[in-house]
Amino acid sequence: EIVMTQSPATLSVSPGERATLSCRASQSVSSNLAWYQQKPGQAPRLLIYGASTRATGIPARFSGSGSGTEFTLTISSLQSEDFAVYYCQQYNNWPPTWTFGQGTKVEIK
Amino acid sequence: EVQLVESGGGLVQPGGSLRLSCAASGFTFSSYWMSWVRQAPGKGLEWVANIKQDGSEKYYVDSVKGRFTISRDNAKNSLYLQMNSLRAEDTAVYYCARESRALLWFGVATFFDPWGQGTLVTVSS
């Protein structure tokens, strides 16, 4: 089973600053990694898939990078609506199952 | 509009049963794998189960094997999760999600999009 580890658990950032979130896989997942944003009381929302492709309607300030076992989600200039919890996710081809990281909370500094 | 709407959550005693439903609209339901994902209060996301387009393959996280059953009715555009022998640790918001795929430079990217709004299951005496 592939284990996904996110760091840090909590990131304190001032509005307008850059935020860098990390996700590490216990073995290579190629570029098959997705990122989700979740705000309190809401369902998760897809931000990035294929490690670096933004989902429809996602602002350009969100970018993803990485491949293999090391991945990064960057928010270039934090807006008030970006304070949330972010999860990375990978998919096992066989058996076809899914694994999430434990999440990174981005909070206002 | 692509939409998933869950229902069926509620309060149930330990050892009890509950059946969750997810109504899909705005897309060809029968063309997609579907999943259930849960989130315990204050915790992260945990994938629970998924089902192939025609229902012929089903997979579960170890902690629910033998207790939960995922199913679907393509004629009704609906996904279900039958939960038996419920435990306190099953308390969570349960989301249904469409497994989406896109062909990219490295191969097929897989991700959940969209998600339903979730339904809360509370297991307590």
Side-chain angles (χ1 to χ4, degrees), chain A residues 74-89:
Chain A
T74 302
I75 311 171
S76 59
S77 176
L78 271 158
Q79 306 298 302
S80 57
E81 62 266 30
D82 301 335
F83 292 97
V85 179
Y86 294 83
Y87 295 95
C88 63
Q89 161 258 308

Side-chain angles (χ1 to χ4, degrees), chain B residues 92-104:
Chain B
V93 174
Y94 285 74
Y95 297 99
C96 67
R98 185 181 73 177
E99 297 189 12
S100 296
R101 286 161 172 82
L103 184 60
L104 299 180

Side-chain angles (χ1 to χ4, degrees), chain A residues 1-6 22-30 32-33 67-71 88-92 98-102:
Chain A
E1 177 190 340
I2 299 178
V3 177
M4 309 302 291
T5 303
Q6 292 186 240
S22 295
C23 176
R24 174 176 293 179
S26 59
Q27 58 185 276
S28 178
V29 298
S30 181
N32 198 4
L33 183 107
S67 65
T69 62
E70 301 284 343
F71 300 88
C88 63
Q89 161 258 308
Q90 71 87 27
Y91 172 77
N92 294 312
W98 302 74
T99 309
F100 291 93
Q102 78 279 21

Side-chain angles (χ1 to χ4, degrees), chain A residues 30-32 34 36 38 42-46 49-53 87 89 91 94-102, chain B residues 33 35 37 39 43-47 50 57 59 95 99 101-102 104-106 108-113 115-117:
Chain A
S30 181
S31 292
N32 198 4
Y36 301 86
Q38 187 179 34
Q42 296 185 17
R45 176 176 72 144
L46 177 69
Y49 62 93
S52 60
T53 302
Y87 295 95
Q89 161 258 308
Y91 172 77
W94 185 258
T97 56
W98 302 74
T99 309
F100 291 93
Q102 78 279 21
Chain B
W33 281 75
S35 271
V37 177
Q39 186 170 37
K43 302 298 183 182
L45 301 169
E46 179 184 40
W47 172 81
N50 63 356
E57 295 182 36
Y59 300 91
Y95 297 99
E99 297 189 12
R101 286 161 172 82
L104 299 180
W105 62 273
F106 65 88
V108 177
T110 48
F111 46 93
F112 290 125
D113 185 49
W115 299 61
Q117 86 289 349

Side-chain angles (χ1 to χ4, degrees), chain B residues 4 24-34 51-56 72-79 98-99:
Chain B
L4 298 170
S25 60
F27 66 99
T28 305
F29 179 72
S30 59
S31 295
Y32 290 87
W33 281 75
M34 296 294 296
I51 185 169
K52 193 177 179 179
Q53 291 93 329
D54 62 0
S56 61
R72 64 192 297 162
D73 185 336
N74 288 339
K76 295 183 177 179
N77 291 332
S78 293
L79 177 72
R98 185 181 73 177
E99 297 189 12

